[in-house]
Amino acid sequence: EAAVTQSPRNKVAVTGGKVTLSCNQTNNHNNMYWYRQDTGHGLRLIHYSYGAGSTEKGDIPDGYKASRPSQENFSLILELATPSQTSVYFCASGVRGSAETLYFGSGTRLTVL
Amino acid sequence: AQKVTQTQTSISVMEKTTVTMDCVYETQDSSYFLFWYKQTASGEIVFLIRQDSYKKENATVGHYSLNFQKPKSSIGLIITATQIEDSAVYFCAMREGGSGSWQLIFGSGTQLTVMP
């Protein structure tokens, strides 16, 4: 069974603070993704990665950075958090290919005050 | 640019009936892949079923099936003999397979409530 683990599950941050969301996968998948989920918008892609050392911008990358130091780990970094970044964040992994199925983590609920 | 639209915000049905959730998509690519994902009340998101654009037959997995109408750019999800545990949010998604964007684009989701 595919396993994608996100930490923390919940996070409260202050405006202007730095936030790091972590994701670990034990599937040995090449690809990893960060999405945010907001009511009425579904899931929107922030950053993704093809493998260790690579990061690519998704549809809404502004205000976010990503880091993929290894096959297993993919982090999302908010250098200067803003209230508009309050959301639920999901990490996912998948095997490279157009028919790729994604395996999602349980999500991180971030509140920026 | 690719786009996925789910116009049904919420649907309520009685248990053991059949429900269809609508999804329309936009793409310039001749090759693409369509997916349905389910998000449970706990927030867990799982893959349900996939339709490849080059396949004429509708995909079926368990009590999930698809109604793929390529000329209408439509991919409906059909759940037969619904159960209480089918209550969830269902997302339609698309990925272009040719020279278009490689990203997986999601619709806004449809909340399904199955009543006893």
Side-chain angles (χ1 to χ4, degrees):
Chain A
E1 181 71 24
V4 180
T5 304
Q6 293 182 232
S7 62
R9 289 299 308 273
N10 294 281
K11 173 74 176 178
V12 178
V14 296
T15 298
K18 181 177 181 179
V19 177
T20 300
L21 306 182
S22 300
C23 179
N24 175 275
Q25 56 106 352
T26 59
N27 312 320
N28 197 31
H29 288 164
N30 301 103
N31 299 341
M32 295 187 75
Y33 306 82
W34 277 106
Y35 287 89
R36 65 177 283 177
Q37 182 178 25
D38 303 287
T39 303
H41 288 281
L43 293 157
R44 292 182 292 174
L45 183 63
I46 306 170
H47 283 288
Y48 59 100
S49 169
Y50 294 120
S54 91
T55 60
E56 305 289 338
K57 293 180 179 180
D59 292 330
I60 53 167
D62 293 345
Y64 303 93
K65 291 184 180 179
S67 174
R68 182 87 182 270
S70 64
Q71 179 84 336
E72 299 79 19
N73 295 294
F74 190 37
S75 298
L76 185 68
I77 304 153
L78 291 66
E79 295 279 4
L80 294 170
T82 69
S84 65
Q85 294 175 312
T86 294
S87 187
V88 180
Y89 293 85
F90 285 93
C91 176
S93 73
V95 176
R96 186 169 298 164
S98 295
E100 175 187 32
T101 295
L102 296 189
Y103 295 86
F104 284 85
S106 301
T108 294
R109 182 173 296 276
L110 173 65
T111 302
V112 182
L113 302 176
Chain B
Q2 55 178 336
K3 185 178 180 181
V4 176
T5 303
Q6 296 177 254
T7 57
Q8 299 161 306
T9 304
S10 63
I11 301 174
S12 294
V13 300
M14 299 301 294
E15 190 179 14
K16 300 180 183 177
T17 62
T18 295
V19 63
T20 298
M21 282 173 272
D22 301 328
C23 176
V24 293
Y25 56 90
E26 296 176 24
T27 179
Q28 302 300 316
D29 213 326
S30 59
S31 173
Y32 49 90
F33 300 84
L34 301 162
F35 305 80
W36 281 89
Y37 284 80
K38 171 185 178 181
Q39 184 175 32
T40 63
S42 67
E44 181 185 20
I45 302 173
V46 295
F47 164 74
L48 289 179
I49 191 168
R50 186 186 88 225
Q51 179 75 41
D52 301 345
S53 64
Y54 59 87
K55 292 185 177 179
K56 292 185 178 180
E57 57 275 15
N58 292 319
T60 298
V61 176
H63 75 145
Y64 302 106
S65 61
L66 297 177
N67 180 18
F68 181 40
Q69 299 184 59
K70 197 170 184 178
K72 295 183 178 181
S73 296
S74 171
I75 183 72
L77 173 68
I78 303 167
I79 306 177
T80 57
T82 52
Q83 304 163 10
I84 301 297
E85 51 266 35
D86 290 324
S87 296
V89 178
Y90 291 82
F91 290 101
C92 177
M94 176 179 69
R95 175 182 285 116
E96 293 171 337
S99 58
S101 170
W102 179 81
Q103 298 176 12
L104 184 65
I105 302 299
F106 285 84
S108 57
T110 297
Q111 171 74 58
L112 174 67
T113 301
V114 180
M115 298 175 292

